Amino acid sequence: MTDLSKYRNIGIFAHVDAGKTTTTERILKLTGKIHKIGEVHDGESTTDFMEQEAERGITIQSAAVSCFWKDHRFNVIDTPGHVDFTVEVYRSLKVLDGGIGVFCGSGGVEPQSETNWRYANDSEVARIIFVNKLDRMGADFLRVVKQTKDVLAANPLVMVLPIGIEDEFCGVVDLLSRKAYVWDETGEAENYEVKDVPEDMVELVEEYREMLIETALEQDDDLLEAYMEGEEPSIDEIKRCIRKGTRTMEVFPTYCGSAFKNKGMQLLLDAVVDYLPNPVEVDPQPLTDEDGVENGEFAIVSVDAPLKALAFKIMDDRFGALTFVRIYSGKLNKGDTILNSFTGKTERVGRMVEMQADERNELDYAQAGDIIAIVGMKNVQTGHTLCDVKHPCTLEAMVFPEPVISISVTPKDKGGSEKMGIAIGKMIAEDPSFRVETDIDSGETILKGMGELHLDIKVDILKRTYGVDLIVGEPQVAYRETITKLVEDSYTHKKQSGGSGQFGKIDYVIKPGEANTGFVFTSKVVGGNVPKEFWPAVEKGFKSLMDTGTLAGFPVLDVEFELLDGAFHAVDSSAIAFEIAAKGAFRQSIPKADPKLLEPIMNVDVFSPDDNVGDVIGDLNRRRGMIKDQSAGVTGVRIKADVPLSEMFGYIGSLRTMTSGRGQFSMEFAHYSLCPNSVSEKVIAQVKERKAAEAAAKK
């Protein structure tokens, strides 16, 4: 049996370009998994093995890697930093026990690192902070530490201090042991010496060491009391306190170094062993019933319990479909039959593999605490629970955001559509925030996603990985419709022509609902004028048309429908008749209720250098943006604004032009809001034009 206390399931997350992948590379090198280090700059890193990743120098998929350090097994997941792929970060956090938040020594806390930090707080994942790139111009460790306090409201616990800054950065002082670790210029991680603290740093080291001990001992009153009386605790006792505080997220041990230059990495790996929790120490995952309501049971991390595992990622590669699974409890043997509680179907485990980024090691056995990949699962998607056939259970399902942007794609040649169909099927299983629909009128395939870059990469994968040549349409925004007036109305459906007739009359009110409620149905019928058994039919009929509004055919949001009264016929009334009546009511009354278009508004977070702030704000105003907040940092200003998505196309290009390439931004969906008339007229005219062109093409 493997000792679970020696397991660490960790993720590395941060803003784009803070150096996550390079950090992962160094961890693998130090732990002896790879002999030649690949560089992101050259497009050769181990975990970025997709062509699209190598080209753009960004991570898109989270890659899982296993390695060993001081007899401890690390399962490391490298997550993407780019905002369009936050779903990847989110689902990786679900299955991790601890993480390393990487921040750039000169850029500090950037927009996306804030989003990822928020996600990690929600998932209650213990973290270590690593301030990277201290060899860069403008890097300042203590400034970034202060930023983590101010911006992220974290409590960083400084564990090391850097020796030298920028070009002169050569090593770190470990505060606990009061030893300096100094690397030479070869860039090899192994070439370092342990020395005494440089004389000019002795005072600073003592000051920070005192702060460190005081903060750590807050976790243990007895030790703190003894310390106040002048008794210094042992290093093991201090470490125990830090470990406890890290687990409860009261403190975040903070390290620094330069992953690229291989300086400071060993101390970071030691910190993972010393302070991050093992699978048994983390609060167990709650179990839920079919509707996602917690039932008070938990997936206890034990080998002897029945199997409970979560599929958190699906990836297709040259070996077939790989399903990444985190096993919470129980064990899994090759050849076992397991149940997918979402579909209710059983699956046989043919092959299990342990991942080393792009390589596979075959396994016969896995157990609680492991992160493995199973080859060739049929009907499993991200977020499904896999469990013992005799003990069905559901782990808390993952919730994915609604897509806000769509593009149409058409294969260039006829043979391409089958190819495209298979490829898209695989891509949906891999990425739940990516949706596909077929436009009924035009027969075009519509791809929906979280942002421009998200769809851009999907099209690229279709072209390159699957070899489908596509014609790509303009990006379309996912508009919605709503009503703004209360309308009281009545509708009668009757059909009397030979045989059994149909009759259903309803009196009703429709009115604007609360924001984000979708569709609410209530009935105030008394006295049986519309029998109770027909109410669901009325609701179903009205609801069925909510997907196509009367203005331009967009889905309708936030409508309340109240059934007041009606009439029925003892022979001719049926559920169908009332359903048809409700559909007629929708078509009749929605146009009277002053329907309006809603547009998706995005939370935009822009970082701009000081010199360009005026231009950036002016540009956001021109894009109909509402500026909510401005905060000055050391290197520039962060601007938070609400901006309609339709105005944000191609924004990155204009931001780079305005800021000479130094600006950055991230955005996520916030809410729907009413469209100004001028915009909605334009959108409705475009839709009508498009439909007329499609109708003409059919003839």
Side-chain angles (χ1 to χ4, degrees):
M1 295 307 293
T2 14
D3 180 3
L4 282 178
S5 66
K6 298 232 162 115
Y7 268 57
R8 297 288 181 274
N9 291 322
I10 58 169
I12 295 181
F13 41 85
H15 187 80
V16 180
D17 287 344
K20 296 179 297 298
T21 305
T22 310
T23 309
T24 311
E25 285 291 316
R26 301 306 184 258
I27 293 177
L28 297 186
K29 172 79 172 64
L30 274 172
T31 52
K33 277 293 172 200
I34 46 178
H35 299 295
K36 170 189 171 288
I37 287 188
E39 292 306 343
V40 180
H41 322 287
D42 310 332
E44 285 180 354
S45 64
T46 316
T47 49
D48 285 358
F49 48 84
M50 290 168 62
E51 278 178 42
Q52 291 78 1
E53 296 183 301
E55 238 174 61
R56 299 174 190 232
I58 60 174
T59 307
I60 299 168
Q61 290 188 318
S62 2
V65 197
S66 305
C67 55
F68 287 87
W69 178 255
K70 295 192 174 169
D71 295 337
H72 284 67
R73 177 189 171 118
F74 290 6
N75 292 320
V76 185
I77 295 186
D78 176 27
T79 63
H82 211 288
V83 62
D84 287 4
F85 309 107
T86 37
V87 59
E88 286 273 343
V89 180
Y90 180 65
R91 62 173 168 208
S92 306
L93 284 166
K94 285 283 292 183
V95 297
L96 295 175
D97 304 328
I100 304 174
V102 181
F103 297 95
C104 169
S106 58
V109 177
E110 293 161 297
Q112 194 53 41
S113 34
E114 200 179 330
T115 314
N116 288 348
W117 195 265
R118 202 171 63 238
Y119 276 165
N121 284 344
D122 294 347
S123 305
E124 295 181 1
V125 172
R127 279 146 287 171
I128 293 172
I129 295 173
F130 179 60
V131 179
N132 189 18
K133 303 194 180 181
L134 280 193
D135 53 327
R136 292 236 328 232
M137 291 300 288
D140 181 342
F141 173 59
L142 293 176
R143 188 187 77 230
V144 179
V145 169
K146 188 172 172 324
Q147 271 189 325
T148 56
K149 261 190 197 146
D150 299 347
V151 179
L152 304 174
N155 185 8
L157 189 63
V158 176
M159 304 294 295
V160 298
L161 286 175
I163 307 171
I165 55 164
E166 298 179 356
D167 295 349
E168 281 153 25
F169 172 68
C170 62
V172 296
V173 173
D174 179 24
L175 294 178
L176 279 182
S177 63
R178 297 191 176 93
K179 289 285 184 232
Y181 291 73
V182 180
W183 279 263
D184 61 15
E185 286 309 304
T186 55
E188 292 293 327
E190 292 78 20
N191 296 349
Y192 68 94
E193 288 176 70
V194 180
K195 301 178 176 176
D196 288 331
V197 176
E199 280 181 16
D200 57 345
M201 284 181 70
V202 171
E203 276 183 22
L204 190 67
V205 165
E206 287 307 313
E207 180 191 336
Y208 271 89
R209 189 169 191 269
E210 198 168 310
M211 282 169 31
L212 162 72
I213 294 175
E214 279 177 11
T215 312
L217 296 186
E218 282 171 6
Q219 302 295 324
D220 187 322
D221 294 343
D222 298 345
L223 286 176
L224 186 61
E225 211 166 291
Y227 179 67
M228 290 301 178
E229 285 165 12
E231 194 181 316
E232 173 123 343
S234 70
I235 285 194
D236 284 345
E237 285 174 327
I238 300 172
K239 281 188 171 175
R240 192 185 78 239
C241 289
I242 299 174
R243 186 176 178 89
K244 185 179 166 197
T246 309
R247 225 184 81 206
T248 52
M249 299 199 318
E250 283 170 45
V251 296
F252 298 96
T254 304
Y255 288 78
C256 64
S258 160
F260 182 52
K261 296 276 176 57
N262 263 316
K263 292 171 183 173
M265 298 307 293
Q266 286 93 332
L267 294 158
L268 182 67
L269 292 179
D270 288 347
V272 170
V273 168
D274 288 342
Y275 306 125
L276 285 182
N278 63 44
V280 181
E281 291 173 319
V282 179
D283 292 339
Q285 287 279 338
L287 297 178
T288 62
D289 57 18
E290 286 158 10
D291 302 327
V293 180
E294 294 188 12
N295 59 9
E297 291 180 39
F298 292 89
I300 307 294
V301 179
S302 150
V303 179
D304 304 322
L307 174 75
K308 299 177 188 67
L310 183 73
F312 67 98
K313 178 173 171 64
I314 292 174
M315 210 168 98
D316 211 64
D317 71 353
R318 54 187 190 277
F319 300 102
L322 286 169
T323 307
F324 283 83
V325 173
R326 159 80 197 258
I327 304 176
Y328 286 107
S329 46
K331 46 188 179 288
L332 190 57
N333 294 303
K334 195 170 159 181
D336 280 358
T337 299
I338 54 177
L339 172 74
N340 176 349
S341 65
F342 186 83
T343 58
K345 294 189 172 128
T346 54
E347 302 246 2
R348 191 171 166 277
V349 179
R351 286 169 61 208
M352 292 192 293
V353 290
E354 170 188 80
M355 304 290 296
Q356 252 96 53
D358 207 6
E359 291 184 2
R360 323 265 173 274
N361 301 332
E362 294 273 340
L363 298 170
D364 294 329
Y365 166 83
Q367 61 164 39
D370 277 334
I371 292 182
I372 56 154
I374 305 176
V375 183
M377 301 279 271
K378 297 280 185 304
N379 299 316
V380 178
Q381 284 187 343
T382 299
H384 286 185
T385 304
L386 304 172
C387 53
D388 187 328
V389 180
K390 295 190 188 90
H391 300 90
C393 64
T394 308
L395 290 153
E396 189 184 2
M398 302 184 191
V399 182
F400 296 106
E402 284 294 313
V404 285
I405 176 171
S406 59
I407 50 172
S408 64
V409 290
T410 324
K412 280 188 181 164
D413 49 56
K414 289 257 165 58
S417 46
E418 193 175 325
K419 230 174 100 193
M420 180 168 91
I422 297 168
I424 284 178
K426 287 180 177 171
M427 285 158 68
I428 293 174
E430 285 175 23
D431 178 357
S433 61
F434 172 62
R435 313 273 170 89
V436 178
E437 290 175 7
T438 306
D439 189 312
I440 305 166
D441 301 332
S442 65
E444 289 177 321
T445 305
I446 312 282
L447 308 184
K448 298 185 165 186
M450 301 316 296
E452 251 180 310
L453 181 72
H454 190 195
L455 291 181
D456 200 22
I457 296 227
K458 295 291 179 214
V459 169
D460 205 43
I461 294 174
L462 280 173
K463 283 184 181 169
R464 245 190 300 189
T465 316
Y466 297 104
V468 184
D469 243 355
L470 296 170
I471 305 165
V472 181
E474 285 291 304
Q476 301 291 330
V477 175
Y479 289 100
R480 295 285 182 267
E481 297 181 19
T482 191
I483 56 172
T484 51
K485 270 189 190 156
L486 181 146
V487 171
E488 192 168 330
D489 215 339
S490 142
Y491 189 88
T492 309
H493 168 70
K494 68 175 185 223
K495 185 173 160 213
Q496 306 297 126
S497 56
S500 63
Q502 286 180 356
F503 179 82
K505 174 176 184 271
I506 49 175
D507 299 340
Y508 54 90
V509 164
I510 58 165
K511 56 184 179 191
E514 294 287 316
N516 304 318
T517 51
F519 172 61
V520 177
F521 174 84
T522 48
S523 170
K524 291 206 170 154
V525 178
V526 285
N529 287 345
V530 178
K532 235 182 186 150
E533 63 263 32
F534 297 144
W535 294 359
V538 175
E539 181 177 3
K540 184 182 165 196
F542 201 88
K543 198 173 178 179
S544 66
L545 292 183
M546 289 282 290
D547 287 341
T548 44
T550 52
L551 276 179
F554 294 112
V556 183
L557 289 183
D558 309 335
V559 174
E560 279 188 31
F561 179 97
E562 207 171 282
L563 185 60
L564 300 176
D565 203 0
F568 79 109
H569 187 283
V571 178
D572 292 348
S573 284
S574 62
I576 293 286
F578 275 99
E579 193 177 318
I580 296 172
K583 287 183 176 174
F586 181 94
R587 293 192 191 99
Q588 169 181 297
S589 303
I590 290 276
K592 297 180 189 170
D594 198 8
K596 292 275 192 281
L597 269 195
L598 295 170
E599 59 181 349
I601 305 289
M602 308 300 276
N603 270 333
V604 180
D605 187 341
V606 187
F607 169 81
S608 156
D610 285 329
D611 312 345
N612 313 100
V613 175
D615 297 346
V616 170
I617 289 179
D619 181 65
L620 286 170
N621 287 333
R622 273 197 297 284
R623 295 174 186 269
R624 302 196 283 120
M626 288 275 296
I627 309 289
K628 290 191 299 196
D629 183 38
Q630 269 172 261
S631 51
V634 179
T635 49
V637 177
R638 281 184 62 183
I639 303 153
K640 293 189 174 178
D642 281 347
V643 192
L645 174 67
S646 56
E647 304 286 343
M648 288 299 289
F649 290 139
Y651 181 64
I652 188 72
S654 21
L655 181 65
R656 282 184 181 146
T657 314
M658 282 183 293
T659 59
S660 322
R662 286 164 51 210
Q664 290 178 332
F665 88 105
S666 75
M667 66 177 187
E668 51 185 356
F669 172 69
H671 54 259
Y672 277 99
S673 144
L674 283 176
C675 242
N677 284 342
S678 56
V679 176
S680 64
E681 281 164 14
K682 213 178 291 165
V683 171
I684 295 169
Q686 280 171 345
V687 171
K688 283 185 176 156
E689 229 169 87
R690 201 165 69 236
K691 286 190 174 160
E694 284 163 7
K698 275 188 182 165
K699 283 175 188 169

